[in-house]
Amino acid sequence: MSEPQTLYDVIGGEARVREMVDRFYDLMELEPEFAGIRALHPPSMEGSRDKLFMFLSGWMGGPDLFVEQYGHPRLRARHLPFAIGSSERDQWLRAMAWAMEDIGIDEALRLRLMESFYQTADWMRNQPG
């Protein structure tokens, strides 16, 4: 019997997760509709790119890179210093949906991921509305 595939395996492993994260941050840099969330990041987003890649690697069942380097993700606590409302949540989700579509992730997998991303992004909100 073979082990069930992780999301990390299904999506295509390290290279594919990195491609998705890079496209996500490229869109944030390029598209005016993401200006709100871009403003929450430092001028250079290389560290942000790396941290999201490391987090998603472990979250999807691959190597737990973020935990190995930074400890427990404590997502909400790490995001509390930033004003995150529905607009920022929706920008994040739209950029991620766009990135997944651009790199050709299967529609069924995109929908599965977006359900989880929505739950987490909504939980990150710390501002009314």
Side-chain angles (χ1 to χ4, degrees):
M1 253 178 123
S2 63
E3 292 183 35
Q5 280 193 310
T6 64
L7 277 173
Y8 185 80
D9 296 327
V10 171
I11 204 168
E14 178 182 350
R16 197 75 161 144
V17 175
R18 175 58 80 178
E19 182 182 13
M20 181 177 72
V21 168
D22 283 343
R23 183 63 183 147
F24 171 80
Y25 280 102
D26 290 348
L27 288 165
M28 196 186 303
E29 293 269 23
L30 296 169
E31 297 298 328
E33 73 182 273
F34 305 129
I37 58 173
R38 175 61 184 98
L40 299 175
H41 290 80
S44 170
M45 292 196 297
E46 289 309 307
S48 300
R49 285 176 191 257
D50 288 343
K51 286 178 182 175
L52 182 58
F53 164 74
M54 289 188 288
F55 171 77
L56 288 178
S57 173
W59 179 81
M60 290 181 171
D64 217 353
L65 305 171
F66 189 94
V67 171
E68 291 169 7
Q69 186 158 348
Y70 299 104
H72 189 283
R74 298 179 11 249
L75 287 181
R76 186 149 167 85
R78 290 182 196 270
H79 287 81
L80 277 175
F82 309 100
I84 302 172
S86 296
S87 175
E88 291 77 17
R89 174 201 63 200
D90 293 348
Q91 287 177 52
W92 194 97
L93 291 167
R94 171 70 180 123
M96 185 55 76
W98 190 344
M100 289 191 295
E101 185 174 356
D102 277 1
I103 70 163
I105 293 181
D106 174 74
E107 183 179 8
L109 181 54
R110 288 194 325 254
L111 293 173
R112 179 177 169 191
L113 287 168
M114 286 306 294
E115 286 179 18
S116 294
F117 288 153
Y118 176 83
Q119 292 172 2
T120 302
D122 194 55
W123 185 57
M124 293 295 113
R125 286 186 310 124
N126 56 30
Q127 301 295 307

